[in-house]
Structures are given as C-alpha cells and as structure tokens.
Amino acid sequence: PHSRLRHSGARTMVPLLPLLLLLLPAAHGAVEHVAYTPFLTKTPVLEGLTTGSTFVLEQPRCVFDKYSNVDIWLVVALEKTAATFNNSVAPGTAESAFQNFPNSVPAYMTLNATLANYPCPKPAGDITVLRVGSETSCTWDNARPTCNGPLPGPGPYLVKFLALKGSEPVAETDWSQPIMLRTAKSPNSISTTDGGHSAGMIALTTILSILFAILLAGLVAML
Amino acid sequence: MAKSEDCIHILQGLLVFGNVVIGMCGIALTAECIYFVSDPHGLYPLLEATENDDIYAAAWIGIFVGFALFALSILGIIGIIKSDRTLLLVYIILMLITFAFEMASCITAATHRDFLTPDLFLKQMLERYQKAEPANNNDKWMIEGVTKTWDKLMLQNHCCGVLGPSDWQEYTSAFRFTHNDADFPWPRKCCVMDAQGLPVNLDGCKLGVPGYYNSNGCYDAISGPVNTHAWGVAWFGFAILCWIFCVLLGTMFYWSGIEY
C-alpha cells in the first residue's frame, strides 16, 4: 500500500535574471534526466493491475536518491498529448489539475511524495505500489487539483515522475510505455443460445423412445 | 405338464422379483427427487431467474412417478400371483402411462441440463446482481433471488463471479451502474473476509493481491450440484425405465399365456 502526502503547493516567485539566462542557455537543462522508466507492478501478479479506470504503478524506489528535499510528483498524460507537457507547470494549479484533464490540460500531477515515502532499498517481500485512480471522493472537487481520481477513459496513458525542489523541477524520469486500460463489453454480447446437445442426452432420448415404441408394439400385439 | 408348470412358476417368480425391485426403485426415486426439490445448495433462485428451471419440473414429476411405481408394483405382484387377466391388463396399461411420464422427466432433465452453460449464468449475474431499478415486481423478486444467492455462493465457496473476478472487468453490469470501477473493481463479497464479515484487507482486495481476494470462479460450485441433480434424475430414471421395460415385456408375455 502506498502513502500520500498533501502538498500545499505554494508558489515562490523566481526572480528573473537575464544575465543568468544568457549564461545558462537551456532553462530546462536544469532538469536532470533520470534513466528510469515507470512501469506497472510486476510482482506480485495483481488481478487489478489495470481496471476500467485505475492502474497500478511500481513505486520509484532508489531512483531519486541523489536529490535531497525533493517532492516527487506523478505526471499522468494521454499518449497523444504527452509531448505538449511542460515541466515547469506547477502542481496544485489549474494547469495541472486532475479535474481539467483531459479537456483543457494535457496532463495532471498527483500522488505527491517525498523520499521518506520511497525508502531505498526496498525491503524484500514488501508490496510497493501506487494505485493511480483510487481517490473517488475528489473527482469533481476543484479545490483538490492534485486529486488521484479515476481515469476518465481507456487511454492509452503515459506517466513519468517529476522531482520538484520548491517549485522548480530538478529531475524527471522517462515517459512510461503506453498504459492501456480495460474496456468493458456489454453483457448483450454474451450468446446464451449456442448450447448444443450433449451425447448423453441424445443417447438417452433415442434409447427411451425405442423402448417405448417396442412396448407399445407389444401391447398392440397382445391385445 | 410339469415342465411348463415349472416354467410358469419361474416366470411368475421372476416377475414378482421384478416388481419388488420396481417398488423399491420407485421409493428411491421419490426420495431422490424430494431431496433435489428441497434445493439443499440454494441454487433454485438462479435457475428461476434464467427462466429455465425445468430440471425442477423433472424432479417434481419424478416424485409422483416414484409413488405410482410403488403402487403399481404392488398391483403387479397381486395380479401375477392371482394370475388375474383384468388386474394385469390394468397394470400393464397404467405402467405404460407411468413409463411415458418418467420418460418425459428424464428427457427434460437431460435436455435442460445442456442449457445451463457458464455463459447463461454469467449473463444473468451481470444483468441482475445488485440491479438497482427493477422493471416490475417479477423482476424485483428475481433480482433479490439472484443477489442473495450470489452473495451466499461467493461467501461460502470463496469464489468470485462465474469464471473469476475478471468477469466484472470484462463486461459492464447492473452492479457497475451503481458501484464505480475504482472503488469496486469487483463486489466486496469477493474479498477474503474475517470472522466479522468485513474484508481482511480492503486495499489488497481492490488491488487484487493474491490472498486477499477470491480468484476462482463460482461456476464449479454451481454446476456441481446442478449436474448431480440433472444426471441423478435423468440416469437413475433411465435405469429404472430399462428395468421396467424388461418386466413389462415379461408381464405381457405372461398375460398372453394365461387361459381365460
């Protein structure tokens, strides 16, 4: 089971330093790339790994260890809009609110945690999972933009982890492989007329009919 | 002639023995069918809701046929010992009528057993389990029957759905209409329960962690008793009918040999 912390999402103003901007040509070069791809939990085998509106990710243990004092957020996007996600979007705002996904924002940020939630190394035998989509109480609550609400469609979704120090992104993982959720069929598609008859039933009917016919013939013969 | 006297006595003896067996089998058939009709496994509401409960009709016919066989066997024994033509004629005709009824019962049980496939129960479970808005009184009563039976089945047999919990994920259902997918990937009764009837670990159950939810389907728990019921009625009835066939042929032969 995972733990989640509420992050108050305070935004600090970053003073604009044109000189620094010239010296550091790529502003988002400050975001380091961690070679880790989020993946769905492999052990133990979970029946509910993907359902109609949730999926289960493995926790990113021993991934962000070299960063201290970071908040690790999960970014969830649709496969087709993931490329338009900007790392400098702040969590807890309308630009990353679950309630606005996927209508007006390409991705949302949720499942805030610190390194204390993801101790390294992972104790053997522990189940370390993150269930994306488990919070149903805040699906429509605009006051909770970091809601871990049920996903609105079957996807496919891409996720990545983003580490923020204060409000600056410092590290990110790769985008995951596309995660497709389950779609449910209508029960009307189940055919119940295709029975066929078992061999036993055919044998039974045939033999009994023959026996009855013989008895009737015998009755007629004796009368 | 002594030889033909002996033959007649042997035939009489065999027919009396045949009738005694028929009488005992008649009682056994009645007892067996009463057992099935009493529904010890509580599966009748499921069959009722499929509107395909003819294996119960077959069992009811079996009860009355069993009694009839017992009564007729006594009539037969008396008729054979007294060598009375009228009694034996009545016996033969009534026995033929009973034969026809029992034949109907066996064929009904066997045929309707073939309808009870996993898909039938699956469709009914998805359409009726915990359905919130009954269309009419009949529907309401079927819904209650199906819901109670499934709850009891899943609790007692530690199973979930017909083929497994994935039934609830693969198909939409009346249950899904009122219970959202994130909180209820499958009904709570699929969770491993503690002594108080509460899930041991609700999160584990929702995730589908082995050990906290029931991963088997309930089809075996349903088809086992239903098969026993159907085959018990059909094949035991078939065996009795084969025996009756022999006894009736012998009686007809005996009857035609009696002098006026």
Side-chain angles (χ1 to χ4, degrees), chain A residues 145-202:
Chain A
T146 56
C147 181
N148 181 18
L151 295 156
Y157 295 99
L158 296 183
V159 298
K160 72 174 178 183
F161 290 100
L162 192 60
L164 296 175
K165 192 170 262 184
S167 61
E168 278 299 300
V170 293
E172 63 170 356
T173 64
D174 291 323
W175 285 107
S176 65
Q177 294 295 309
I179 297 170
M180 198 69 199
L181 296 183
R182 296 204 195 185
T183 13
K185 301 182 279 218
S186 163
N188 295 329
S189 62
I190 304 173
S191 149
T192 54
T193 54
D194 229 9
H197 292 294
S198 62
M201 171 260 161
I202 293 179

Short mmCIF file of all heavy atoms in Angstrom, two decimals, chain A residues 145-202:
data_model
loop_
_atom_site.label_atom_id
_atom_site.label_comp_id
_atom_site.label_asym_id
_atom_site.label_seq_id
_atom_site.Cartn_x
_atom_site.Cartn_y
_atom_site.Cartn_z
N PRO A 145 -6.99 20.01 -6.78
CA PRO A 145 -6.46 19.75 -8.12
C PRO A 145 -5.47 18.61 -8.18
O PRO A 145 -5.22 18.06 -9.26
CB PRO A 145 -5.77 21.08 -8.49
CG PRO A 145 -5.52 21.76 -7.19
CD PRO A 145 -6.59 21.33 -6.26
N THR A 146 -4.91 18.22 -7.04
CA THR A 146 -3.96 17.11 -7.07
C THR A 146 -4.64 15.79 -6.75
O THR A 146 -4.01 14.83 -6.29
CB THR A 146 -2.84 17.33 -6.04
OG1 THR A 146 -3.45 17.50 -4.75
CG2 THR A 146 -2.02 18.54 -6.39
N CYS A 147 -5.93 15.72 -7.02
CA CYS A 147 -6.70 14.52 -6.74
C CYS A 147 -6.18 13.33 -7.54
O CYS A 147 -5.89 13.46 -8.74
CB CYS A 147 -8.16 14.79 -7.13
SG CYS A 147 -9.28 13.42 -6.82
N ASN A 148 -6.09 12.19 -6.91
CA ASN A 148 -5.71 10.97 -7.62
C ASN A 148 -6.99 10.27 -8.07
O ASN A 148 -7.33 9.18 -7.61
CB ASN A 148 -4.90 10.08 -6.66
CG ASN A 148 -4.45 8.80 -7.34
OD1 ASN A 148 -4.43 8.70 -8.55
ND2 ASN A 148 -4.09 7.82 -6.53
N GLY A 149 -7.70 10.94 -8.95
CA GLY A 149 -9.03 10.46 -9.29
C GLY A 149 -9.03 9.39 -10.36
O GLY A 149 -8.01 9.17 -11.03
N PRO A 150 -10.17 8.71 -10.53
CA PRO A 150 -10.26 7.66 -11.53
C PRO A 150 -10.06 8.24 -12.93
O PRO A 150 -10.56 9.31 -13.25
CB PRO A 150 -11.69 7.12 -11.38
CG PRO A 150 -12.17 7.62 -10.08
CD PRO A 150 -11.42 8.86 -9.77
N LEU A 151 -9.35 7.50 -13.76
CA LEU A 151 -9.02 8.00 -15.08
C LEU A 151 -10.26 8.03 -15.95
O LEU A 151 -11.13 7.16 -15.87
CB LEU A 151 -7.95 7.08 -15.69
CG LEU A 151 -6.67 7.19 -14.87
CD1 LEU A 151 -5.83 5.97 -15.04
CD2 LEU A 151 -5.90 8.41 -15.30
N PRO A 152 -10.34 9.07 -16.77
CA PRO A 152 -11.60 9.27 -17.50
C PRO A 152 -11.83 8.39 -18.72
O PRO A 152 -12.90 8.40 -19.27
CB PRO A 152 -11.52 10.75 -17.92
CG PRO A 152 -10.08 11.08 -17.90
CD PRO A 152 -9.42 10.20 -16.90
N GLY A 153 -10.87 7.65 -19.15
CA GLY A 153 -11.12 6.83 -20.34
C GLY A 153 -10.12 5.70 -20.41
O GLY A 153 -9.29 5.56 -19.52
N PRO A 154 -10.20 4.90 -21.46
CA PRO A 154 -9.30 3.75 -21.51
C PRO A 154 -7.85 4.09 -21.91
O PRO A 154 -6.99 3.23 -21.85
CB PRO A 154 -9.93 2.84 -22.57
CG PRO A 154 -10.77 3.73 -23.40
CD PRO A 154 -11.18 4.88 -22.56
N GLY A 155 -7.57 5.34 -22.30
CA GLY A 155 -6.17 5.71 -22.57
C GLY A 155 -5.84 5.71 -24.03
O GLY A 155 -6.70 6.06 -24.82
N PRO A 156 -4.66 5.33 -24.48
CA PRO A 156 -3.54 4.92 -23.62
C PRO A 156 -2.88 6.10 -22.92
O PRO A 156 -2.86 7.20 -23.44
CB PRO A 156 -2.56 4.27 -24.61
CG PRO A 156 -2.91 4.81 -25.94
CD PRO A 156 -4.34 5.24 -25.91
N TYR A 157 -2.36 5.85 -21.73
CA TYR A 157 -1.76 6.88 -20.91
C TYR A 157 -0.26 6.70 -20.85
O TYR A 157 0.26 5.59 -20.93
CB TYR A 157 -2.31 6.83 -19.48
CG TYR A 157 -3.78 7.14 -19.38
CD1 TYR A 157 -4.72 6.12 -19.30
CD2 TYR A 157 -4.24 8.46 -19.39
CE1 TYR A 157 -6.07 6.39 -19.23
CE2 TYR A 157 -5.58 8.74 -19.32
CZ TYR A 157 -6.49 7.70 -19.24
OH TYR A 157 -7.83 7.98 -19.18
N LEU A 158 0.44 7.84 -20.67
CA LEU A 158 1.86 7.79 -20.38
C LEU A 158 2.05 8.46 -19.02
O LEU A 158 1.36 9.42 -18.70
CB LEU A 158 2.68 8.58 -21.42
CG LEU A 158 2.66 8.07 -22.85
CD1 LEU A 158 3.60 8.95 -23.69
CD2 LEU A 158 3.12 6.64 -22.94
N VAL A 159 2.98 7.94 -18.23
CA VAL A 159 3.25 8.57 -16.93
C VAL A 159 4.74 8.79 -16.80
O VAL A 159 5.55 8.09 -17.42
CB VAL A 159 2.76 7.71 -15.74
CG1 VAL A 159 1.26 7.52 -15.80
CG2 VAL A 159 3.45 6.37 -15.68
N LYS A 160 5.11 9.76 -15.98
CA LYS A 160 6.51 9.92 -15.59
C LYS A 160 6.53 10.54 -14.21
O LYS A 160 5.54 11.10 -13.74
CB LYS A 160 7.29 10.77 -16.60
CG LYS A 160 6.96 12.24 -16.57
CD LYS A 160 7.90 13.01 -17.50
CE LYS A 160 7.54 14.48 -17.50
NZ LYS A 160 8.37 15.26 -18.43
N PHE A 161 7.68 10.40 -13.56
CA PHE A 161 7.86 11.02 -12.26
C PHE A 161 8.68 12.29 -12.43
O PHE A 161 9.63 12.34 -13.21
CB PHE A 161 8.59 10.06 -11.31
CG PHE A 161 7.74 8.90 -10.89
CD1 PHE A 161 7.89 7.67 -11.51
CD2 PHE A 161 6.78 9.04 -9.89
CE1 PHE A 161 7.10 6.59 -11.14
CE2 PHE A 161 6.00 7.97 -9.52
CZ PHE A 161 6.14 6.74 -10.15
N LEU A 162 8.28 13.31 -11.69
CA LEU A 162 8.95 14.60 -11.77
C LEU A 162 9.33 15.00 -10.36
O LEU A 162 8.48 15.02 -9.48
CB LEU A 162 7.98 15.62 -12.38
CG LEU A 162 8.51 16.96 -12.84
CD1 LEU A 162 9.55 16.78 -13.93
CD2 LEU A 162 7.34 17.78 -13.38
N ALA A 163 10.60 15.33 -10.16
CA ALA A 163 11.04 15.75 -8.82
C ALA A 163 11.14 17.27 -8.79
O ALA A 163 11.78 17.87 -9.65
CB ALA A 163 12.39 15.12 -8.50
N LEU A 164 10.49 17.87 -7.81
CA LEU A 164 10.49 19.33 -7.69
C LEU A 164 11.16 19.74 -6.39
O LEU A 164 10.86 19.18 -5.34
CB LEU A 164 9.05 19.87 -7.68
CG LEU A 164 8.22 19.66 -8.93
CD1 LEU A 164 6.79 20.14 -8.69
CD2 LEU A 164 8.79 20.40 -10.09
N LYS A 165 12.02 20.71 -6.47
CA LYS A 165 12.58 21.27 -5.25
C LYS A 165 11.94 22.64 -5.11
O LYS A 165 12.16 23.52 -5.92
CB LYS A 165 14.11 21.38 -5.40
CG LYS A 165 14.81 21.69 -4.10
CD LYS A 165 16.32 21.56 -4.23
CE LYS A 165 16.77 20.22 -3.73
NZ LYS A 165 18.19 20.00 -3.73
N GLY A 166 11.13 22.77 -4.11
CA GLY A 166 10.36 24.02 -4.01
C GLY A 166 9.34 23.99 -5.12
O GLY A 166 8.42 23.18 -5.11
N SER A 167 9.51 24.83 -6.13
CA SER A 167 8.60 24.73 -7.25
C SER A 167 9.36 24.56 -8.56
O SER A 167 8.79 24.62 -9.63
CB SER A 167 7.73 25.98 -7.34
OG SER A 167 8.57 27.09 -7.53
N GLU A 168 10.68 24.34 -8.44
CA GLU A 168 11.48 24.15 -9.64
C GLU A 168 11.64 22.67 -9.93
O GLU A 168 12.02 21.92 -9.03
CB GLU A 168 12.90 24.74 -9.44
CG GLU A 168 12.98 26.23 -9.65
CD GLU A 168 12.57 26.58 -11.07
OE1 GLU A 168 13.23 26.10 -12.01
OE2 GLU A 168 11.58 27.31 -11.23
N PRO A 169 11.40 22.26 -11.14
CA PRO A 169 11.66 20.84 -11.45
C PRO A 169 13.17 20.60 -11.50
O PRO A 169 13.90 21.39 -12.11
CB PRO A 169 11.03 20.66 -12.83
CG PRO A 169 10.93 22.01 -13.42
CD PRO A 169 10.87 23.00 -12.30
N VAL A 170 13.62 19.55 -10.86
CA VAL A 170 15.06 19.26 -10.88
C VAL A 170 15.38 17.95 -11.58
O VAL A 170 16.48 17.76 -12.08
CB VAL A 170 15.67 19.22 -9.46
CG1 VAL A 170 15.64 20.58 -8.83
CG2 VAL A 170 14.98 18.20 -8.59
N ALA A 171 14.45 17.04 -11.61
CA ALA A 171 14.75 15.76 -12.25
C ALA A 171 13.46 15.16 -12.78
O ALA A 171 12.39 15.38 -12.22
CB ALA A 171 15.39 14.80 -11.27
N GLU A 172 13.60 14.41 -13.85
CA GLU A 172 12.44 13.72 -14.38
C GLU A 172 12.87 12.34 -14.88
O GLU A 172 14.04 12.12 -15.21
CB GLU A 172 11.82 14.49 -15.55
CG GLU A 172 12.77 14.62 -16.73
CD GLU A 172 12.11 15.17 -17.97
OE1 GLU A 172 10.87 15.38 -17.94
OE2 GLU A 172 12.83 15.36 -18.96
N THR A 173 11.94 11.42 -14.90
CA THR A 173 12.22 10.10 -15.46
C THR A 173 11.74 10.08 -16.91
O THR A 173 11.20 11.06 -17.41
CB THR A 173 11.46 9.01 -14.69
OG1 THR A 173 10.06 9.22 -14.88
CG2 THR A 173 11.78 9.04 -13.21
N ASP A 174 11.96 8.95 -17.56
CA ASP A 174 11.41 8.79 -18.91
C ASP A 174 9.91 8.67 -18.83
O ASP A 174 9.35 8.32 -17.79
CB ASP A 174 11.93 7.48 -19.53
CG ASP A 174 13.41 7.55 -19.83
OD1 ASP A 174 13.87 8.62 -20.24
OD2 ASP A 174 14.09 6.51 -19.65
N TRP A 175 9.26 8.91 -19.94
CA TRP A 175 7.85 8.55 -20.03
C TRP A 175 7.74 7.02 -20.07
O TRP A 175 8.59 6.34 -20.63
CB TRP A 175 7.21 9.11 -21.31
CG TRP A 175 6.94 10.58 -21.28
CD1 TRP A 175 7.63 11.54 -21.95
CD2 TRP A 175 5.90 11.26 -20.56
NE1 TRP A 175 7.10 12.77 -21.69
CE2 TRP A 175 6.02 12.64 -20.84
CE3 TRP A 175 4.87 10.85 -19.71
CZ2 TRP A 175 5.17 13.60 -20.31
CZ3 TRP A 175 4.02 11.80 -19.18
CH2 TRP A 175 4.17 13.17 -19.48
N SER A 176 6.68 6.52 -19.50
CA SER A 176 6.50 5.07 -19.47
C SER A 176 6.04 4.57 -20.84
O SER A 176 5.76 5.36 -21.74
CB SER A 176 5.43 4.71 -18.44
OG SER A 176 4.19 5.25 -18.87
N GLN A 177 5.97 3.26 -20.97
CA GLN A 177 5.31 2.68 -22.14
C GLN A 177 3.82 3.02 -22.06
O GLN A 177 3.31 3.24 -20.97
CB GLN A 177 5.45 1.15 -22.11
CG GLN A 177 6.88 0.68 -22.27
CD GLN A 177 7.40 1.04 -23.64
OE1 GLN A 177 6.76 0.74 -24.64
NE2 GLN A 177 8.54 1.68 -23.69
N PRO A 178 3.13 3.05 -23.18
CA PRO A 178 1.70 3.38 -23.12
C PRO A 178 0.93 2.38 -22.26
O PRO A 178 1.15 1.17 -22.36
CB PRO A 178 1.24 3.29 -24.58
CG PRO A 178 2.48 3.44 -25.38
CD PRO A 178 3.60 2.89 -24.56
N ILE A 179 0.10 2.90 -21.40
CA ILE A 179 -0.70 2.06 -20.50
C ILE A 179 -2.14 2.10 -20.98
O ILE A 179 -2.76 3.16 -21.01
CB ILE A 179 -0.63 2.58 -19.05
CG1 ILE A 179 0.81 2.50 -18.56
CG2 ILE A 179 -1.55 1.78 -18.14
CD1 ILE A 179 1.03 3.21 -17.24
N MET A 180 -2.63 0.96 -21.37
CA MET A 180 -3.99 0.85 -21.88
C MET A 180 -4.87 0.27 -20.78
O MET A 180 -4.50 -0.72 -20.17
CB MET A 180 -3.95 -0.10 -23.08
CG MET A 180 -5.11 -0.02 -24.00
SD MET A 180 -5.15 1.52 -24.90
CE MET A 180 -6.85 1.47 -25.36
N LEU A 181 -6.02 0.91 -20.53
CA LEU A 181 -6.91 0.36 -19.50
C LEU A 181 -7.92 -0.59 -20.14
O LEU A 181 -8.05 -0.65 -21.35
CB LEU A 181 -7.64 1.50 -18.79
CG LEU A 181 -6.73 2.44 -18.03
CD1 LEU A 181 -7.57 3.49 -17.32
CD2 LEU A 181 -5.89 1.71 -17.03
N ARG A 182 -8.66 -1.28 -19.29
CA ARG A 182 -9.61 -2.25 -19.83
C ARG A 182 -10.89 -1.57 -20.26
O ARG A 182 -11.40 -0.68 -19.59
CB ARG A 182 -9.98 -3.24 -18.74
CG ARG A 182 -8.83 -4.06 -18.27
CD ARG A 182 -9.39 -5.30 -17.70
NE ARG A 182 -8.48 -6.06 -16.90
CZ ARG A 182 -8.80 -7.24 -16.40
NH1 ARG A 182 -9.96 -7.74 -16.59
NH2 ARG A 182 -7.95 -7.90 -15.69
N THR A 183 -11.44 -2.08 -21.36
CA THR A 183 -12.78 -1.61 -21.75
C THR A 183 -13.73 -2.77 -21.55
O THR A 183 -13.41 -3.90 -21.85
CB THR A 183 -12.83 -1.21 -23.22
OG1 THR A 183 -11.68 -1.70 -23.85
CG2 THR A 183 -12.92 0.27 -23.39
N ALA A 184 -14.91 -2.44 -21.07
CA ALA A 184 -15.87 -3.49 -20.76
C ALA A 184 -16.88 -3.62 -21.89
O ALA A 184 -17.35 -2.63 -22.44
CB ALA A 184 -16.59 -3.15 -19.46
N LYS A 185 -17.20 -4.89 -22.20
CA LYS A 185 -18.20 -5.13 -23.24
C LYS A 185 -19.58 -5.20 -22.59
O LYS A 185 -19.71 -5.43 -21.40
CB LYS A 185 -17.92 -6.48 -23.91
CG LYS A 185 -16.56 -6.57 -24.56
CD LYS A 185 -16.40 -7.91 -25.24
CE LYS A 185 -16.02 -8.96 -24.21
NZ LYS A 185 -15.05 -9.93 -24.72
N SER A 186 -20.58 -5.08 -23.44
CA SER A 186 -21.93 -5.20 -22.91
C SER A 186 -22.26 -6.67 -22.71
O SER A 186 -21.86 -7.52 -23.49
CB SER A 186 -22.91 -4.59 -23.91
OG SER A 186 -24.20 -5.03 -23.63
N PRO A 187 -23.03 -7.00 -21.66
CA PRO A 187 -23.42 -8.41 -21.49
C PRO A 187 -24.31 -8.92 -22.61
O PRO A 187 -24.45 -10.13 -22.77
CB PRO A 187 -24.17 -8.44 -20.16
CG PRO A 187 -24.32 -7.05 -19.72
CD PRO A 187 -23.45 -6.17 -20.52
N ASN A 188 -24.89 -8.01 -23.40
CA ASN A 188 -25.69 -8.48 -24.52
C ASN A 188 -24.87 -9.24 -25.54
O ASN A 188 -25.40 -9.98 -26.36
CB ASN A 188 -26.38 -7.31 -25.22
CG ASN A 188 -27.37 -6.64 -24.32
OD1 ASN A 188 -27.97 -7.29 -23.47
ND2 ASN A 188 -27.54 -5.34 -24.47
N SER A 189 -23.54 -9.04 -25.47
CA SER A 189 -22.70 -9.74 -26.43
C SER A 189 -22.50 -11.20 -26.07
O SER A 189 -21.92 -11.95 -26.82
CB SER A 189 -21.34 -9.05 -26.53
OG SER A 189 -20.68 -9.11 -25.29
N ILE A 190 -22.97 -11.59 -24.88
CA ILE A 190 -22.82 -12.98 -24.47
C ILE A 190 -23.94 -13.78 -25.12
O ILE A 190 -25.12 -13.49 -24.94
CB ILE A 190 -22.91 -13.12 -22.93
CG1 ILE A 190 -21.90 -12.23 -22.25
CG2 ILE A 190 -22.69 -14.56 -22.53
CD1 ILE A 190 -22.07 -12.20 -20.76
N SER A 191 -23.56 -14.81 -25.84
CA SER A 191 -24.58 -15.61 -26.51
C SER A 191 -24.98 -16.77 -25.63
O SER A 191 -24.14 -17.54 -25.17
CB SER A 191 -23.99 -16.12 -27.83
OG SER A 191 -24.54 -17.35 -28.16
N THR A 192 -26.27 -16.90 -25.36
CA THR A 192 -26.70 -17.99 -24.48
C THR A 192 -27.49 -19.04 -25.24
O THR A 192 -28.00 -19.98 -24.67
CB THR A 192 -27.61 -17.46 -23.36
OG1 THR A 192 -28.67 -16.72 -23.95
CG2 THR A 192 -26.84 -16.58 -22.42
N THR A 193 -27.62 -18.88 -26.55
CA THR A 193 -28.45 -19.84 -27.26
C THR A 193 -27.63 -20.98 -27.86
O THR A 193 -28.16 -21.95 -28.32
CB THR A 193 -29.21 -19.15 -28.41
OG1 THR A 193 -28.23 -18.48 -29.22
CG2 THR A 193 -30.19 -18.15 -27.87
N ASP A 194 -26.33 -20.80 -27.80
CA ASP A 194 -25.49 -21.76 -28.51
C ASP A 194 -25.21 -23.01 -27.69
O ASP A 194 -24.08 -23.32 -27.41
CB ASP A 194 -24.15 -21.07 -28.81
CG ASP A 194 -23.75 -21.24 -30.24
OD1 ASP A 194 -24.58 -21.75 -31.01
OD2 ASP A 194 -22.61 -20.88 -30.56
N GLY A 195 -26.24 -23.71 -27.24
CA GLY A 195 -26.00 -24.82 -26.32
C GLY A 195 -25.44 -26.04 -26.98
O GLY A 195 -24.39 -26.53 -26.61
N GLY A 196 -26.12 -26.52 -27.95
CA GLY A 196 -25.76 -27.84 -28.47
C GLY A 196 -26.24 -28.88 -27.49
O GLY A 196 -26.52 -28.57 -26.34
N HIS A 197 -26.38 -30.09 -27.95
CA HIS A 197 -26.86 -31.14 -27.06
C HIS A 197 -25.74 -32.11 -26.77
O HIS A 197 -24.98 -32.47 -27.66
CB HIS A 197 -28.04 -31.87 -27.69
CG HIS A 197 -29.25 -31.00 -27.78
ND1 HIS A 197 -29.92 -30.56 -26.67
CD2 HIS A 197 -29.90 -30.46 -28.84
CE1 HIS A 197 -30.93 -29.79 -27.05
NE2 HIS A 197 -30.94 -29.71 -28.35
N SER A 198 -25.68 -32.56 -25.54
CA SER A 198 -24.61 -33.49 -25.19
C SER A 198 -24.95 -34.86 -25.73
O SER A 198 -26.11 -35.21 -25.98
CB SER A 198 -24.44 -33.53 -23.68
OG SER A 198 -25.61 -34.00 -23.08
N ALA A 199 -23.91 -35.67 -25.87
CA ALA A 199 -24.10 -37.02 -26.42
C ALA A 199 -24.99 -37.84 -25.52
O ALA A 199 -25.81 -38.65 -25.97
CB ALA A 199 -22.73 -37.69 -26.58
N GLY A 200 -24.84 -37.64 -24.20
CA GLY A 200 -25.64 -38.42 -23.25
C GLY A 200 -27.12 -38.20 -23.44
O GLY A 200 -27.92 -39.14 -23.42
N MET A 201 -27.47 -36.95 -23.66
CA MET A 201 -28.88 -36.63 -23.78
C MET A 201 -29.46 -37.25 -25.05
O MET A 201 -30.58 -37.79 -25.06
CB MET A 201 -29.03 -35.10 -23.79
CG MET A 201 -30.38 -34.60 -24.11
SD MET A 201 -30.45 -34.11 -25.80
CE MET A 201 -32.20 -34.12 -26.05
N ILE A 202 -28.68 -37.23 -26.13
CA ILE A 202 -29.17 -37.82 -27.38
C ILE A 202 -29.31 -39.33 -27.23
O ILE A 202 -30.32 -39.92 -27.66
CB ILE A 202 -28.21 -37.45 -28.52
CG1 ILE A 202 -28.27 -35.95 -28.77
CG2 ILE A 202 -28.54 -38.23 -29.78
CD1 ILE A 202 -27.35 -35.45 -29.85
#
